[in-house]
Structures are given as C-alpha cells and as structure tokens.
C-alpha cells in the first residue's frame, strides 16, 4: 500500500479504518516514523463532484470532494476538456479556467460541458479527478404569437407557447393596454378566445411559468388590431330613358 512520492522523505500509503500489517490506525506506515516525525501521508483522492445540471443563464456552484493528503490543499485548477463545451460555460470567477476550490459555473446555451479538477496538497501530491459533466437546458421563453388584425365581428383565437426551463408549464393571459378587446375564454390555456366591441389596438400578455422550485416565469406580448369591416358603395341608382 506504499506509493512512492518524489517529495523528499515522504512516502504515501492508502488510508483505511482497519490498519493493515505495518500500519497505524490512521493509515500511516508505522515503519516510516523517524525520530518521532511521521514521513508518510495518506493518498489524496479528488472528485470534481456532479453530475451537474442547470438552466442556461443561471449559476451553479461546483461541489468537489477532496480527501487524504496533507492539508491545507495549496492549489486548485479547473479547466474545460478541449472541444467539450457546447453549452458555452464559464467558471465564476475565472472564465475558461479557475483556481478557486468551489467556483460557480454559468452557461449561455443548451448543451454540455466537461471539466476535471486538479488539486495540489502540502506534501506536493498532484491529483486530477475524473471528468465531471454539466448538462444545460435552454432558458424559459414565452411566445404569444404574431400580431393580428381583425374586424369587430370576428372572434379570433390567440396561439401561445413556451419552451426551455423545466416543464410542464402553466399559462396566464392578461390585457396590458387597450379597452376594446378582452379574453372571452381560455385565459389559462395556450389558445384563448378574444372578443372585441370596437376599433382600436389591444395588447395581451402571455405569462408562462415552469415547474422549478421556486418557479420561473417568462412573458411575451401580442397586439390585436380591430379595423372597420370592408364596405362597398356602387353609388345611387340611375334611370335611363
């Protein structure tokens, strides 16, 4: 269980709660005590934590797990695997790399990112973890549909939707400007019906809310324009003698 180390006067041994022959209860090699000074240390282990997930635009704090070695740990190095950052993630602080033990990570698009952690301890052990993965989904967005133009005798149906975030979604329509139109039915669906009583412009807002805890909402507006119905005038009747 003794592993050579390049640091002078130190040898590494595996830790454990049950001593192996020649080891003390803390996992150190009893034969390595010289003049009462311990010159053996437990092997350091490093995990980058995870797997992680987030919604694009939010910040996730990484949670590495480091054990063994000689504390304090003196250096931390995070970096992305080359070509494995389709989510355009960055460390906070740091950007493309970080020297903080537990940095944040923020990603700007859906996709994945892979990254290991390298740690150095006081005995100059340098250990790199296996690769951790961040999975990123798109941020929540709402779409209230295209603006529409109608005549007052028409009863249009709006068409909304949501994407990103964490489904399923809930929906709520509200009138934010104008007075000539209102939601007649389906105000908590993606396809409400609108009724209008006169000409003018009315703006309706769709609020989509996802299923996260706490939930996140996104909004989008649509304008309904009411114009006079088309009429034709052929002029007065004519008499021909």
């Amino acid at each position: 269980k003794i592993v050579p180390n390049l640091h002078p006067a130190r040898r590494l041994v595996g830790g454990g709660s049950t001593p192996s022959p020649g080891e003390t209860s803390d996992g150190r090699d009893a034969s390595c005590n010289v003049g009462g000074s311990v010159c053996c240390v437990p092997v350091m282990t490093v995990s980058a934590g995870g797997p992680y997930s987030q919604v694009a635009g939010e910040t996730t704090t990484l949670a590495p797990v480091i054990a063994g070695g000689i504390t304090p740990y003196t250096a931390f190095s995070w970096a992305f695997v080359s070509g494995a950052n389709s989510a355009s993630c960055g460390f906070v602080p740091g950007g493309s790399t970080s020297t903080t033990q537990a940095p944040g990570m923020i990603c700007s698009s859906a996709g994945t990112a892979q990254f290991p952690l390298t740690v150095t301890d006081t005995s100059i052990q340098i250990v790199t973890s296996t690769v951790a993965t961040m999975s990123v989904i798109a941020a929540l967005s709402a779409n209230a549909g295209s603006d529409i133009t109608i005549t007052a005798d028409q009863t249009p149906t709006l068409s909304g939707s949501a994407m990103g975030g964490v489904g399923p979604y809930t929906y709520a329509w509200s009138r934010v400007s104008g007075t000539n139109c209102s939601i007649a039915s389906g105000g908590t669906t993606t396809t409400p019906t609108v009724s209008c009583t006169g000409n003018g412009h009315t703006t309706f807002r769709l609020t989509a809310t996802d299923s996260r805890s706490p939930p996140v909402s996104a909004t989008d507006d649509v304008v309904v324009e009411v114009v006079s119905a088309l009429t034709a005038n052929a002029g007065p009747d004519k008499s021909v003698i």
Side-chain angles (χ1 to χ4, degrees), residues 232-237:
N233 186 348
D237 296 342

Side-chain angles (χ1 to χ4, degrees), residues 33-49:
N33 289 327
V34 179
S37 299
V38 175
C39 57
C40 296
V41 298
V43 172
M44 180 170 61
T45 60
V46 178
S47 168

Side-chain angles (χ1 to χ4, degrees), residues 62-165:
L62 304 183
V65 179
I66 308 167
I70 293 292
T71 58
Y73 304 116
T74 58
F76 307 91
S77 177
W78 296 87
F80 293 104
V81 174
S82 178
N85 189 8
S86 63
S88 299
C89 298
F91 295 103
V92 183
S96 60
T97 62
S98 179
T99 56
T100 301
Q101 180 173 350
M105 181 173 289
I106 186 169
C107 307
S108 61
S109 61
T112 60
Q114 294 183 325
F115 44 93
L117 167 63
T118 299
V119 178
T120 304
D121 77 348
T122 302
S123 71
I124 317 182
Q125 293 184 75
I126 301 175
V127 177
T128 298
S129 71
T130 57
V131 171
T133 299
M134 175 71 76
S135 299
V136 185
I137 59 177
L140 176 67
S141 63
N143 185 346
S146 301
D147 296 345
I148 58 176
T149 300
I150 62 169
T151 56
D153 60 329
Q154 295 178 300
T155 304
T157 298
L158 303 181
S159 180
S161 61
M163 64 181 298

